[in-house]
Amino acid sequence: MQVKKKLLDLVRDKIRFKHYSYSTERTYVHWIKHYIFFHNKKHPVEMGKVEIETYLTKLATKDNVSPTTQNQAFSALLFLYKEVLGVDISDWNIQALRAQERKHIPAVLTKDEVASILQNIPMEYSLLVHLMYGCGLRMNEALSLRIKDIDFGFDKVYIWDSKSLKDRTVPLPLKLKQQLISQVELVTNLHKQDLDNGYGSVFIPYALEKKYPKSKYETKWQFLFPMKNISVDPRSKEKRRHHIHPQTLGRNIKVASQKANLNKRVTSHIFRHSYATHLLQAGIDLRSIQELLGHKSVETTMIYTHVVSEMNKSKVISPLDF
């Protein structure tokens, strides 16, 4: 039991050293524990290809997990063996039964539907959701924005360490420029109050905080969309102001869609899908949209051509209407 605890501590240390998010840390630790308990608490160094294949197959056949969930578990095991145990299992040719993958065309909103939701979003989340749609940002990308990431001189928004691990810039929506300037002023004043009250630090990636220990108190590193209250950092246990909680934002988006009387399943990601689709409809080329979204492969972006194709089918009328 002691060995397992030490192992998970090593996993956490390695994840933090590599600057992975806290949500990734929790996810990886969960799957590694699940894997160990499935094999009756056997230590991973005593297990190999067969145990990994058996575990991943069980997830697909007995647990009926989605392909995404199975891949998530596999990624956790890859990290465990390669980064923590020093064993590269990529050459093992893991042959597990894969979870059945279904290709879904993403749901999108019309411009009028987007406007309707934005009108019903509470004031404190309005700018954030406008920015998600106006820049095609993932929820975590929008929530992770710092003051320094908004370039008012060149009208650009900088996205660092995104899901694809590829930094990028997107055009700053000019309609939001003055609101963003006001938001920076608001956060700057809030930060001054926090400093006066003995707080004022913010989460900084481990390597940067170690190299620049005072950076966590600098205004430019403060989150652009901070929480209302001071909270306790689950890693450092330090009291500080984090960004708006994802569940809080998701809940407000859902309520806004209900108030807008939309029957579509609206999540935070639908704004990103809508952004890409509306750009494609406006004649923006696929490669440009790929760069704006930060997709590694253009094949990922091509799903939006199918969305537009489905929309064009609505122009075809029934023979009954001839």
Coordinates of all heavy atoms in Angstrom, one line a residue, residues 7-8 10-11 14-15 28 31-33 35-36 42-45 47 52 73-89:
L7 N 4.1 5.8 -5.5 CA 4.1 5.8 -7.0 C 3.2 6.9 -7.5 O 3.5 7.7 -8.4 CB 3.5 4.5 -7.5 CG 3.2 4.4 -9.0 CD1 4.5 4.5 -9.8 CD2 2.5 3.1 -9.4
L8 N 2.0 7.1 -6.8 CA 1.1 8.2 -7.2 C 1.7 9.6 -6.9 O 1.5 10.5 -7.6 CB -0.2 8.0 -6.5 CG -1.0 6.8 -6.9 CD1 -2.4 6.7 -6.2 CD2 -1.3 6.8 -8.4
L10 N 4.9 10.2 -7.2 CA 5.8 10.4 -8.3 C 5.1 10.8 -9.6 O 5.6 11.7 -10.3 CB 6.6 9.1 -8.6 CG 7.6 8.7 -7.5 CD1 8.2 7.3 -7.9 CD2 8.8 9.6 -7.5
V11 N 3.9 10.2 -9.8 CA 3.1 10.6 -10.9 C 2.7 12.1 -10.8 O 2.8 12.9 -11.8 CB 1.8 9.8 -11.0 CG1 0.8 10.3 -12.1 CG2 2.2 8.3 -11.3
K14 N 5.7 14.4 -11.5 CA 6.1 14.4 -12.9 C 5.1 15.3 -13.7 O 5.5 16.0 -14.6 CB 6.1 13.0 -13.4 CG 6.9 12.9 -14.7 CD 8.4 13.2 -14.5 CE 9.2 13.0 -15.8 NZ 10.6 13.2 -15.6
I15 N 3.8 15.1 -13.4 CA 2.8 15.9 -14.1 C 3.0 17.4 -13.8 O 2.9 18.2 -14.8 CB 1.4 15.5 -13.6 CG1 1.0 14.1 -14.2 CG2 0.3 16.5 -14.0 CD1 -0.3 13.5 -13.6
Y28 N -5.4 11.5 -14.8 CA -4.3 10.5 -14.9 C -4.2 9.7 -13.6 O -4.1 8.4 -13.7 CB -3.0 11.2 -15.2 CG -2.8 11.5 -16.7 CD1 -3.8 11.5 -17.6 CD2 -1.5 11.7 -17.2 CE1 -3.7 11.8 -18.9 CE2 -1.3 12.0 -18.6 CZ -2.4 12.0 -19.4 OH -2.2 12.3 -20.7
W31 N -7.1 7.1 -13.5 CA -7.0 5.9 -14.4 C -5.8 5.0 -13.9 O -5.9 3.8 -14.0 CB -6.8 6.3 -15.8 CG -8.0 6.9 -16.4 CD1 -8.2 8.1 -16.9 CD2 -9.3 6.2 -16.6 NE1 -9.5 8.3 -17.4 CE2 -10.2 7.1 -17.2 CE3 -9.7 4.9 -16.3 CZ2 -11.5 6.7 -17.5 CZ3 -11.0 4.5 -16.6 CH2 -11.9 5.4 -17.2
I32 N -4.7 5.6 -13.4 CA -3.6 4.7 -13.0 C -4.1 3.9 -11.7 O -3.8 2.7 -11.6 CB -2.4 5.6 -12.6 CG1 -1.8 6.2 -13.9 CG2 -1.3 4.8 -11.9 CD1 -0.8 7.3 -13.8
K33 N -4.8 4.6 -10.8 CA -5.3 3.8 -9.7 C -6.3 2.7 -10.1 O -6.3 1.6 -9.6 CB -6.0 4.8 -8.7 CG -5.1 5.7 -7.9 CD -5.8 6.7 -7.1 CE -6.6 6.1 -6.0 NZ -7.3 7.1 -5.1
Y35 N -6.4 1.2 -12.9 CA -5.6 0.1 -13.6 C -5.0 -0.8 -12.5 O -5.0 -2.0 -12.6 CB -4.5 0.8 -14.4 CG -3.5 -0.1 -15.0 CD1 -3.7 -1.2 -15.9 CD2 -2.1 0.0 -14.6 CE1 -2.7 -2.0 -16.4 CE2 -1.1 -0.8 -15.1 CZ -1.4 -1.8 -16.0 OH -0.4 -2.6 -16.5
I36 N -4.4 -0.2 -11.5 CA -3.7 -1.0 -10.4 C -4.7 -1.8 -9.6 O -4.5 -3.0 -9.4 CB -2.9 0.0 -9.5 CG1 -1.8 0.6 -10.2 CG2 -2.4 -0.8 -8.3 CD1 -1.1 1.7 -9.5
K42 N -1.5 -4.9 -8.0 CA -0.2 -5.3 -8.4 C 0.6 -4.1 -8.9 O 0.0 -3.2 -9.6 CB -0.3 -6.3 -9.6 CG 0.9 -7.1 -9.9 CD 0.5 -8.2 -11.0 CE 1.7 -9.0 -11.4 NZ 1.4 -10.0 -12.4
H43 N 1.9 -4.0 -8.6 CA 2.6 -2.8 -9.0 C 2.9 -2.8 -10.5 O 3.2 -3.9 -11.1 CB 4.0 -2.8 -8.3 CG 4.6 -1.4 -8.3 ND1 5.3 -1.0 -9.4 CD2 4.7 -0.5 -7.4 CE1 5.8 0.2 -9.1 NE2 5.5 0.6 -7.9
P44 N 2.8 -1.7 -11.2 CA 2.9 -1.6 -12.6 C 4.3 -2.1 -13.1 O 4.3 -2.6 -14.3 CB 2.8 -0.1 -12.9 CG 1.9 0.4 -11.8 CD 2.3 -0.4 -10.6
V45 N 5.3 -2.1 -12.4 CA 6.6 -2.6 -12.8 C 6.5 -4.1 -13.0 O 7.4 -4.7 -13.7 CB 7.8 -2.2 -11.9 CG1 8.0 -0.7 -11.8 CG2 7.5 -2.8 -10.5
M47 N 3.9 -5.6 -14.2 CA 2.9 -5.8 -15.3 C 3.5 -5.3 -16.6 O 4.4 -4.5 -16.7 CB 1.6 -5.1 -14.9 CG 0.9 -5.7 -13.7 SD -0.7 -5.0 -13.4 CE -0.4 -3.3 -12.8
I52 N -2.0 -4.5 -19.7 CA -2.5 -3.3 -20.3 C -3.6 -3.6 -21.3 O -4.7 -3.0 -21.3 CB -1.4 -2.5 -21.0 CG1 -0.4 -1.9 -19.9 CG2 -2.0 -1.3 -21.8 CD1 0.8 -1.2 -20.5
A73 N -7.6 6.8 -20.8 CA -7.0 5.8 -19.9 C -5.7 5.3 -20.4 O -4.7 5.2 -19.7 CB -8.0 4.7 -19.7
F74 N -5.6 5.1 -21.7 CA -4.4 4.6 -22.4 C -3.3 5.7 -22.3 O -2.1 5.4 -22.0 CB -4.7 4.3 -23.8 CG -3.5 3.6 -24.5 CD1 -2.7 2.8 -23.8 CD2 -3.3 3.8 -25.9 CE1 -1.6 2.1 -24.4 CE2 -2.2 3.2 -26.5 CZ -1.4 2.3 -25.8
S75 N -3.7 7.0 -22.4 CA -2.7 8.1 -22.3 C -2.1 8.1 -20.9 O -0.9 8.4 -20.7 CB -3.4 9.4 -22.6 OG -3.8 9.4 -24.0
A76 N -3.0 7.9 -19.9 CA -2.5 7.9 -18.5 C -1.5 6.8 -18.3 O -0.5 7.0 -17.6 CB -3.7 7.7 -17.6
L77 N -1.7 5.6 -18.9 CA -0.8 4.5 -18.7 C 0.5 4.7 -19.5 O 1.6 4.4 -19.0 CB -1.5 3.2 -19.2 CG -2.7 2.7 -18.4 CD1 -3.2 1.4 -19.0 CD2 -2.4 2.6 -16.9
L78 N 0.4 5.3 -20.7 CA 1.6 5.7 -21.4 C 2.4 6.7 -20.6 O 3.7 6.5 -20.6 CB 1.2 6.4 -22.8 CG 0.7 5.5 -23.9 CD1 0.2 6.3 -25.0 CD2 1.8 4.6 -24.4
F79 N 1.8 7.6 -20.0 CA 2.5 8.6 -19.1 C 3.2 7.9 -18.0 O 4.3 8.1 -17.6 CB 1.6 9.7 -18.6 CG 2.2 10.7 -17.8 CD1 2.7 11.9 -18.4 CD2 2.3 10.6 -16.4 CE1 3.4 12.9 -17.7 CE2 3.0 11.6 -15.7 CZ 3.5 12.7 -16.3
L80 N 2.5 7.0 -17.3 CA 3.0 6.3 -16.2 C 4.2 5.5 -16.5 O 5.3 5.6 -15.8 CB 1.9 5.3 -15.6 CG 2.4 4.3 -14.6 CD1 2.8 4.9 -13.3 CD2 1.3 3.2 -14.4
Y81 N 4.1 4.7 -17.6 CA 5.3 3.8 -17.9 C 6.5 4.6 -18.5 O 7.6 4.4 -18.1 CB 4.8 2.8 -18.9 CG 4.2 1.6 -18.3 CD1 2.8 1.6 -18.1 CD2 4.9 0.5 -17.8 CE1 2.1 0.5 -17.5 CE2 4.3 -0.5 -17.1 CZ 2.9 -0.6 -17.0 OH 2.3 -1.6 -16.4
K82 N 6.2 5.6 -19.4 CA 7.3 6.3 -20.0 C 7.9 7.4 -19.1 O 9.1 7.4 -19.0 CB 6.8 7.0 -21.3 CG 7.9 7.7 -22.1 CD 7.4 8.3 -23.4 CE 8.5 9.0 -24.1 NZ 8.1 9.5 -25.4
E83 N 7.1 8.2 -18.5 CA 7.6 9.4 -17.8 C 7.9 9.1 -16.3 O 8.8 9.7 -15.8 CB 6.5 10.5 -17.8 CG 6.1 11.0 -19.2 CD 7.3 11.6 -20.0 OE1 8.3 12.0 -19.3 OE2 7.2 11.7 -21.2
V84 N 7.3 8.1 -15.7 CA 7.5 7.8 -14.3 C 8.4 6.6 -14.1 O 9.3 6.6 -13.3 CB 6.2 7.6 -13.5 CG1 6.4 7.3 -12.1 CG2 5.3 8.9 -13.7
L85 N 8.1 5.5 -14.9 CA 8.8 4.2 -14.7 C 9.9 4.1 -15.7 O 10.8 3.2 -15.6 CB 7.8 3.1 -14.9 CG 6.7 3.0 -13.9 CD1 5.8 1.8 -14.1 CD2 7.2 3.0 -12.4
G86 N 10.0 5.0 -16.7 CA 11.1 5.0 -17.6 C 11.0 3.8 -18.6 O 12.1 3.4 -19.2
V87 N 9.8 3.4 -18.9 CA 9.6 2.3 -19.9 C 8.8 2.8 -21.0 O 7.6 3.2 -20.9 CB 8.9 1.1 -19.2 CG1 8.7 -0.1 -20.2 CG2 9.7 0.6 -18.0
D88 N 9.3 2.8 -22.2 CA 8.6 3.2 -23.4 C 7.8 2.1 -24.0 O 8.3 1.1 -24.6 CB 9.6 3.7 -24.5 CG 8.9 4.4 -25.6 OD1 7.6 4.4 -25.6 OD2 9.6 5.0 -26.5
I89 N 6.5 2.1 -23.8 CA 5.6 1.0 -24.2 C 5.0 1.3 -25.6 O 4.2 0.5 -26.1 CB 4.4 0.8 -23.2 CG1 3.5 2.0 -23.2 CG2 5.0 0.5 -21.8 CD1 2.3 1.7 -22.3

